Amino acid sequence: MLLLQKIALENGYTKIMLGSCASGIACHVLSATVKGHGYSLPADVQYVDTRWDVPVVLPLRDVLAQELSLLCELDSLKTQQLLDRPCRGINSLVASFVARLREENPSREHTILRTAQKLKPFSFNKFSADGYHDFLPSRLRPKDQIEDYLLEDDDVGK
């Protein structure tokens, strides 16, 4: 992330959009939990992360890896497959575990993601009026933020 931030600052970019999909984030949630890095999970699973100088946006957060592969195939885009290596670490073990869960029930990755999303986001992950919400589906905004927005609109009319 530091390297991406350095490149973005050098080139004057205003946002970094990562291609992390639901499948990858589900693996990250489980491996971070196993490693004891659960404190940062609320920040890692949100659409927007403004901790950095250049904000990071995850527009593909709700798309499964299989869906993404199918879309790339339909658009005739080339994709790269990772080499199958023996499991040597926690990340590999978690990835194989999530793959087995996916075989039983493809919605498990979304379930893991929804469970992690219930963690209270940090202030730098909140939707704000500075335009980061343009990349996000409005149907997925947290209820308390929608209520705050509606209350602000009601106050304007008075």
Side-chain angles (χ1 to χ4, degrees), residues 2 9 16 36 39 42 47-48 54 66 76 81 86 104 109 123 125 127 129-130 132 138 147 152-153 155:
L2 292 174
L9 287 171
I16 296 175
Y39 179 76
Y47 285 105
V48 179
V54 180
Q66 296 86 352
S76 301
Q81 295 296 325
E104 293 175 16
E109 292 164 321
S123 61
N125 293 119
F127 296 98
D130 56 10
Y132 301 120
S138 60
E147 290 170 2
E152 289 173 8
D153 283 350
D155 293 340

Side-chain angles (χ1 to χ4, degrees), residues 36-102:
H37 299 157
Y39 179 76
S40 64
L41 277 180
D44 296 342
V45 299
Q46 301 301 319
Y47 285 105
V48 179
D49 185 354
T50 59
R51 289 181 282 187
W52 308 94
D53 293 332
V54 180
V56 178
V57 182
L58 301 174
L60 299 175
R61 198 195 91 174
D62 292 324
V63 180
L64 293 173
Q66 296 86 352
E67 295 170 336
L68 198 54
S69 295
L70 181 62
L71 286 172
C72 289
E73 187 176 321
L74 290 174
D75 287 339
S76 301
L77 299 173
K78 293 182 181 180
T79 59
Q80 293 286 358
Q81 295 296 325
L82 296 175
L83 298 175
D84 288 331
R85 292 178 277 182
C87 295
R88 292 192 175 164
I90 291 175
N91 292 343
S92 298
L93 290 172
V94 168
S96 64
F97 174 71
V98 171
R100 287 188 191 138
L101 288 176
R102 182 184 321 119

Side-chain angles (χ1 to χ4, degrees), residues 5 10 15 46 54 73 78 88 111 113 122 144 148:
Q5 288 291 316
E10 287 174 358
K15 293 173 194 65
Q46 301 301 319
V54 180
E73 187 176 321
K78 293 182 181 180
R88 292 192 175 164
T111 303
L113 197 59
F122 295 107
D144 60 328
D148 291 344

